[in-house]
Amino acid sequence: MNVLILTGAGISAESGIPTFRDANGLWEGHAVEEVATPQGFARNPELVQEFYNQRRRALLNPEIQPNAAHVALADFEREHVEKARGNFLLVTQNIDNLHQRAGSQNVLPMHGQLLQARCTYTEEVFDWTEDLGNDTPHPEDPDNDRMRGCLRPNVVWFGEMPIGLNRIEQAATSADLFIAIGTSGVVYPAAGIVAQTPPHCRRIEVNLDDTPASSAFDETIHGSASVEIPKLLD
Ligand code: BV8
């Protein structure tokens, strides 16, 4: 049985990370276009860097821990793989690292990762936990003033190509079980993955409420992920 999981901000909500929608499309008081687009970054790099610096610092707070939903997914994956029951892929829209910290191995962060930085000249990606700014030196060329400030958050902004779309399509078209957890089904191409699954695939949506994508699912479980996912995967 090939399993494909898609998670969104709702799975991290109970770990203390605010969702994208709860803020009514505003993040920390900013419109999305201001802080999550290449145009916003070009217009005001300091604002965008600080927006991600705040979220990176918050994510590194020791109080932010994976919750029971993250752990249940990691446990399920481990047994599924150990018992060679089929393929397993966890696609997340989240840029936090809670799935990885819970022990999930086959994680595809399609919108990038908050704890990574990318060089805008060389496209090199670095693990990153510090603040980023226009005076941040290049980690491999710290004395080169021309390279200062070349790093951006390694996240996918609106209008940018998400990561791993071919791998996601392969997993979706061969899925026997697809579970979407804590995503509002608004952001594409993530919200279109369910439509790529084959007719025989069992499609389950776990969310507090119905979403615009609910009609594409065989079953919608209303409840919080930390309660419903351990029950569903037990
Ligand atoms: C692209 C990284 C071209 C940055 C993010 C018009 C129509 C359709 C599409 C478009 C359009 N205009 C433009 C587009 C495309 C656009 C898009 O979809 N816009 C939307 C807003 C209309 N998409 C893009 O630009 C994408 N790129 O299309 O490039 C392309 C495509 C293919 C090939 C070549 C080129 C890039 C999108 C990625 C943007 N980056 N994040 C950052 O995080 O700072 S997206 C951002 O929204 C977050 O990653 C977030 O995860 C994501 C989606 O939100 P959700 O995860 O679903 O979270 P949300 O808050 O919305 O919902 C939470 C849900 O959880 C709710 O339903 C709630 O009920 C539930 N919940 C809450 N608590 C719990 C819970 N459920 C269970 N338990 C709980 N406790």
Side-chain angles (χ1 to χ4, degrees):
M1 177 179 74
N2 296 330
V3 178
L4 175 59
I5 308 287
L6 172 67
T7 63
I11 199 170
S12 295
E14 293 168 85
S15 294
I17 297 182
T19 68
F20 178 69
R21 295 282 171 274
D22 288 351
N24 303 315
L26 284 180
W27 260 325
E28 320 279 339
H30 299 296
V32 167
E33 303 73 37
E34 272 187 291
V35 289
T37 61
Q39 296 78 4
F41 184 57
R43 196 167 40 244
N44 191 338
E46 292 82 5
L47 173 73
V48 175
Q49 295 282 29
E50 188 47 30
F51 172 68
Y52 286 95
N53 290 342
Q54 282 173 14
R55 291 170 70 191
R56 191 179 301 106
R57 284 184 229 123
L59 177 57
L60 292 169
N61 182 321
E63 287 170 18
I64 302 290
Q65 293 293 329
N67 63 56
H70 296 104
V71 173
L73 283 168
D75 293 346
F76 177 86
E77 173 192 359
R78 189 178 310 109
E79 184 165 342
H80 191 78
V81 171
E82 278 170 4
K83 301 241 168 87
R85 289 181 179 148
N87 298 328
F88 181 96
L89 180 63
L90 195 168
V91 176
T92 186
Q93 299 172 86
N94 302 336
I95 62 174
D96 61 54
N97 61 345
L98 295 181
H99 284 302
Q100 295 89 333
R101 286 171 54 191
S104 290
Q105 298 296 310
N106 296 286
V107 182
L108 199 170
M110 69 182 293
H111 291 164
Q113 298 189 63
L114 187 55
L115 299 185
Q116 290 181 338
R118 186 167 85 235
C119 176
T120 51
Y121 298 141
T122 64
E123 296 296 304
E124 273 177 294
V125 173
F126 304 94
D127 289 335
W128 203 268
T129 56
E130 308 300 318
D131 281 4
L132 280 174
N134 295 333
D135 57 352
T136 305
H138 190 289
E140 292 172 348
D141 198 356
D143 301 330
N144 181 342
D145 283 345
R146 281 187 307 108
M147 295 294 273
R148 204 173 274 280
C150 69
L151 297 179
R152 60 164 276 185
N154 188 37
V155 301
V156 176
W157 285 327
F158 288 96
E160 295 187 322
M161 170 95 94
I163 295 163
L165 293 180
N166 291 338
R167 188 174 169 208
I168 292 170
E169 184 177 7
Q170 278 170 359
T173 52
S174 60
D176 302 301
L177 173 64
F178 175 66
I179 308 175
I181 307 166
T183 178
S184 59
V186 168
V187 173
Y188 283 81
I193 294 171
V194 62
Q196 295 176 307
T197 57
H200 73 271
C201 178
R202 181 141 185 71
R203 307 173 192 86
I204 302 172
E205 180 183 54
V206 179
N207 197 305
L208 296 176
D209 314 308
D210 275 337
T211 73
S214 293
S215 58
F217 289 86
D218 304 300
E219 184 184 353
T220 294
I221 299 172
H222 286 155
S224 64
S226 67
V227 171
E228 299 305 330
I229 296 305
K231 277 182 354 191
L232 178 65
L233 298 179
D234 186 16

